[in-house]
Amino acid sequence: MSKQKKNSANLEKPRLLVVHGPNLNLLGMREPEHYGCVTLEDINLGLARRAEVAGIALETFQSNHEGALIERVHAAREQGVRYIIINPGGYTHTSVALRDALAGTAIPFVEIHLSNIHARESFRQHSYFSDLALGVVSGLGHEGYLLALEYLLNKINTDQ
């Protein structure tokens, strides 16, 4: 395959974005009783490997700043991202602005939580995102990300 054809084939790959919210950079160290011992780098590596096998262009993004998360979601629309997997972290329970960014871009997404938010403190049991999400994976630890990715890979295969 010529270099030009290879580059255009890569551009045609379905694009997925994984967005990690605040404090997820501390995975593996932070409250392992709730979040496990797997690091964010481990999660991203596992997702990247699975996406590569599936022929999907996958990008991951983490920020502790609400505005940076919003700007990344906005940029995803211009970049042709088909689906988003998002773990809003603590913004799950507080960020109308991040919710509005997802609604405004109209990119379908799956909401992820490492811990079961419904078995935690009462303030963690409400999500500003769940009613917009294609689905919610909560309480399955780092495996929830891979389950969300498998779901979206199936959607991509049936959408084509």
Side-chain angles (χ1 to χ4, degrees):
M1 183 182 280
S2 75
K3 189 173 187 175
Q4 185 177 5
K5 283 186 180 181
K6 196 180 247 186
N7 287 341
S8 69
N10 191 34
L11 292 175
E12 295 172 11
K13 285 182 179 182
R15 294 177 53 108
L16 273 72
L17 173 64
V18 181
V19 176
H20 307 284
N23 298 310
L24 292 168
N25 56 305
L26 298 176
L27 289 178
M29 301 175 282
R30 175 184 174 223
E31 300 176 89
E33 68 278 10
H34 290 299
Y35 304 113
C37 296
V38 175
T39 67
L40 186 60
E41 184 178 339
D42 294 334
I43 291 169
N44 288 340
L45 186 58
L47 292 170
R49 286 179 180 149
R50 179 63 186 106
E52 184 177 356
V53 168
I56 302 298
L58 182 128
E59 181 186 341
T60 61
F61 179 81
Q62 188 278 328
S63 180
N64 295 317
H65 304 282
E66 186 177 31
L69 296 166
I70 291 166
E71 288 175 356
R72 184 63 194 95
V73 169
H74 289 177
R77 181 175 170 196
E78 301 304 315
Q79 296 165 343
V81 169
R82 297 235 332 243
Y83 295 102
I84 294 174
I85 296 171
I86 185 167
N87 182 341
Y91 290 136
T92 301
H93 327 291
T94 63
S95 185
V96 173
L98 185 54
R99 172 202 166 85
D100 288 349
L102 288 160
T105 61
I107 299 171
F109 68 94
V110 175
E111 178 183 354
I112 300 293
H113 300 285
L114 294 162
S115 67
N116 179 353
I117 63 173
H118 303 289
R120 306 259 328 258
E121 304 92 337
S122 61
F123 71 89
R124 294 189 194 275
Q125 295 175 10
H126 176 266
S127 168
Y128 279 103
F129 302 88
S130 297
D131 65 315
L132 297 178
L134 291 172
V136 178
V137 180
S138 179
L140 300 181
H142 69 278
E143 293 177 43
Y145 282 96
L146 287 170
L147 291 170
L149 179 58
E150 289 299 331
Y151 171 76
L152 293 177
L153 293 174
N154 288 333
K155 283 197 70 57
I156 288 168
N157 289 332
T158 58
D159 288 351
Q160 294 178 2

